[in-house]
Amino acid sequence: MTKLIWLILLILFVIVEAACPIHLVSIWFAAGALVSLLVAWLGGMVWLQVLVFLVVSCVTLASLRPLAKKYIAPKIMPTNADRLIGTVAVLCGDVDNIAAKGEVILGGIPWSARSTNGEPIPAGTTVRVDRMEGVRVYVTPVEVESEATSVN
């Protein structure tokens, strides 16, 4: 009877794992059920089968989960827009976070701009792009060193 229960559990865990191929969710329990099925087949007591199931499932989870996360985790691919972070530009419109207005042109494309620290920034100010959220860039004013020409 316990052999049938372990076999049903094994099949159930494998079906759940097959239904979620991206994330490993039940392979650990399938391994535990498989070993417990073998213990039941060899005539082990029910308490031993349950103990083997718990130990094998926990050991499999603890040992394989970090490895699985490393290789299965989605890789974040930077986009062309990510290259805008850190660039310097001149505001073409006043930035006011409260009024939700502000504009800067980056790479020939107008972007909605907001102040990183929340303070208003007047148009014509040279700013650096700190981060992006959707179609909005957050900027901080930067000091522009003026080039003084010296006559010898």
Side-chain angles (χ1 to χ4, degrees):
M1 181 66 175
T2 57
K3 295 175 199 169
L4 181 62
I5 292 172
W6 290 119
L7 182 62
I8 290 171
L9 284 174
L10 175 62
I11 292 169
L12 179 68
F13 290 134
V14 169
I15 289 172
V16 169
E17 188 63 42
C20 304
I22 295 175
H23 304 291
L24 298 176
V25 293
S26 66
I27 195 71
W28 343 104
F29 304 118
L34 177 64
V35 175
S36 294
L37 177 63
L38 293 174
V39 170
W41 187 65
L42 294 173
M45 303 292 286
V46 174
W47 67 268
L48 180 61
Q49 295 170 28
V50 173
L51 180 66
V52 166
F53 172 76
L54 293 173
V55 169
V56 169
S57 296
C58 289
V59 167
T60 307
L61 176 63
S63 62
L64 295 180
R65 182 73 176 161
L67 185 64
K69 284 180 77 173
K70 178 180 176 183
Y71 289 106
I72 294 178
K75 306 284 190 258
I76 297 175
M77 298 296 290
T79 64
N80 289 338
D82 291 333
R83 288 187 279 172
L84 299 176
I85 296 174
T87 59
V88 176
V90 177
L91 291 176
C92 55
D94 293 336
V95 171
D96 186 352
N97 291 7
I98 296 172
K101 67 177 190 171
E103 186 176 62
V104 64
I105 296 180
L106 298 166
I109 300 172
W111 288 79
S112 177
R114 298 295 180 267
S115 172
T116 300
N117 62 9
E119 307 235 348
I121 307 171
T125 304
T126 302
V127 293
R128 181 186 63 251
V129 177
D130 295 325
R131 71 179 192 272
M132 298 175 61
E133 290 181 9
V135 296
R136 188 172 296 128
V137 294
Y138 286 80
V139 297
T140 303
V142 294
E143 295 293 323
V144 179
E145 296 179 19
S146 60
E147 295 181 17
T149 58
S150 60
V151 179
N152 289 334

